[in-house]
Amino acid sequence: MAVFSRCSRAATAPTRIATATFAYVIRALSSSSFCSSSTLNTETDLNNNNKPAALGTLQREPKGRNVQWVFLGCPGVGKGTYASRLSNLLGVPHIATGDLVRHELASSGPLSSKLKEIVNQGKLVSDEIIIDLLSKRLGVEAAKGESGFILDGFPRTIRQAEILEGVTDIDLVVNLKLREEALLAKCLGRRICSECGGNYNVACIDIKAENGRPGMYMAALPPPPQCESKLITRADDTEEVVKERLRIYHEMTRPVEDFYRSRGKLLEFDLPGGIPESWPKLLQALNLEDHEDKESAAA
Ligand code: ADP
């Protein structure tokens, strides 16, 4: 995908996209409250004692950097889909904390069984574990010389948002919104190819217009033939667990929306339907253009 930004600033969001001049690495701070975990990096930065809530610290380097965006939204809204498309378009890493958790869960590491229990109940993993997983991933990206990111699924608590705010400048927070009745159906219809990792959806959502509310149609996203026999469902995509994840989102993550709204960083985006309708409108809201998408549509 090729990108063309019509200007360096999103039209609808008061942000400083790609203009700040810091590169950074978050390092886990040693803290008596959580350094018992065998996976933690216990590097200490005494200069950060004035940040009581912070688990992370910042190395600032005087060089340019790419966008630093966050995607918020309920389970099933499509954060992964749109964050991944934007990451290809903008050439920055897409970092989904849900993927980091699932990767750790699938390993035979010491955290695996603990994480499985938490995730399969639809609960949130502790802030300490998430910060640790994220710090390591950012460290890998920094070592590759990558700057910028699109975070998906982080921050999910006020504490995580405060830690992030304490260590770096987030330019823009995109809050994806979808009608409540579509969220559960989308989670239950989600299928993943166990071989290539591709994400598909067998649910076709067709909400009829009523009482002055417009209808909404989202086509299913079927897998290609080579993936059909390899599809799996996420263990936490059952009706009971999705409802718990939605409940926890409202309780723990809605306040994060307010956190960024009050800082003027939140871009609210109501998804009008599936990818064909939503992607161009999202690009428009972000003041971006996708030349390749346009060319393939015109072909
Ligand atoms: P969702 O579809 O619910 O948005 P994700 O794939 O983002 O799911 O995350 C899957 C699970 O991983 C969550 O239910 C939670 O247990 C854990 N998780 C992911 N990100 C975080 C986070 N930032 N804080 C705490 N737990 C997280």
Side-chain angles (χ1 to χ4, degrees):
M1 280 197 270
V3 63
F4 170 68
S5 172
R6 288 199 293 260
C7 72
S8 64
R9 218 173 155 84
T12 47
T15 60
R16 289 155 290 132
I17 298 170
T19 55
T21 52
F22 299 116
Y24 54 83
V25 175
I26 298 175
R27 292 175 291 150
L29 270 182
S30 76
S31 153
S32 55
S33 61
F34 66 95
C35 65
S36 56
S37 163
S38 58
T39 64
L40 286 173
N41 168 1
T42 53
E43 204 167 354
T44 310
D45 187 340
L46 296 172
N47 293 330
N48 267 274
N49 284 345
N50 59 349
K51 285 188 198 135
L55 301 176
T57 181
L58 181 65
Q59 287 180 338
R60 290 179 187 269
E61 290 169 17
K63 62 179 184 183
R65 66 152 170 83
N66 284 315
V67 301
Q68 299 193 157
W69 290 359
V70 162
F71 266 68
L72 292 180
C74 287
V77 77
K79 296 185 293 294
T81 302
Y82 295 102
S84 148
R85 283 181 158 237
L86 281 169
S87 110
N88 288 336
L89 190 66
L90 299 170
V92 293
H94 165 213
I95 302 178
T97 45
D99 288 346
L100 301 182
V101 168
R102 279 183 289 277
H103 184 261
E104 191 68 29
L105 199 152
S107 74
S108 53
L111 272 182
S112 177
S113 54
K114 186 175 167 189
L115 287 179
K116 192 174 190 171
E117 204 181 309
I118 299 168
V119 173
N120 289 354
Q121 287 176 12
K123 309 281 185 223
L124 290 187
V125 170
S126 73
D127 293 335
E128 289 75 15
I129 290 174
I130 285 292
I131 296 284
D132 183 47
L133 293 175
L134 183 60
S135 301
K136 284 180 180 154
R137 174 62 191 270
L138 287 172
V140 169
E141 297 298 343
K144 286 194 287 191
E146 294 280 2
S147 75
F149 51 68
I150 297 182
L151 289 179
D152 155 6
F154 183 94
R156 251 174 159 103
T157 64
I158 287 287
R159 186 156 176 249
Q160 290 177 11
E162 284 170 350
I163 290 166
L164 191 60
E165 198 71 2
V167 296
T168 195
D169 295 316
I170 294 299
D171 308 310
L172 177 68
V173 179
V174 181
N175 187 25
L176 290 185
K177 296 199 289 195
L178 185 64
R179 290 164 67 156
E180 193 84 28
E181 56 264 55
L183 294 171
L184 179 63
K186 278 201 64 207
C187 283
L188 298 182
R190 179 155 50 195
R191 299 290 181 273
I192 296 148
C193 175
S194 55
E195 201 164 279
C196 72
N199 266 272
Y200 308 104
N201 209 300
V202 297
C204 174
I205 292 157
D206 192 3
I207 302 170
K208 302 286 173 224
E210 64 175 1
N211 302 332
R213 286 192 86 190
M216 195 180 75
Y217 181 77
M218 295 175 87
L221 190 61
Q226 68 273 20
C227 297
E228 261 168 18
S229 61
K230 298 161 197 146
L231 296 185
I232 52 168
T233 305
R234 263 169 58 172
D236 59 346
D237 273 344
T238 63
E239 184 164 348
E240 190 191 3
V241 178
V242 172
K243 284 183 174 163
E244 177 64 2
R245 281 157 56 204
L246 285 167
R247 189 191 68 74
I248 288 186
Y249 186 89
H250 290 300
E251 183 186 319
M252 305 296 288
T253 313
R254 283 270 180 250
V256 176
E257 296 176 8
D258 297 333
F259 179 93
Y260 287 117
R261 190 175 290 115
S262 68
R263 285 163 175 76
K265 293 184 176 181
L266 198 74
L267 173 68
E268 309 268 13
F269 186 78
D270 281 295
L271 290 158
I275 297 170
E277 302 97 312
S278 301
W279 177 238
K281 290 213 165 79
L282 180 60
L283 291 178
Q284 202 178 16
L286 294 168
N287 218 17
L288 295 170
E289 276 182 16
D290 181 354
H291 278 174
E292 279 184 16
D293 203 49
K294 272 194 170 171
E295 276 161 22
S296 61

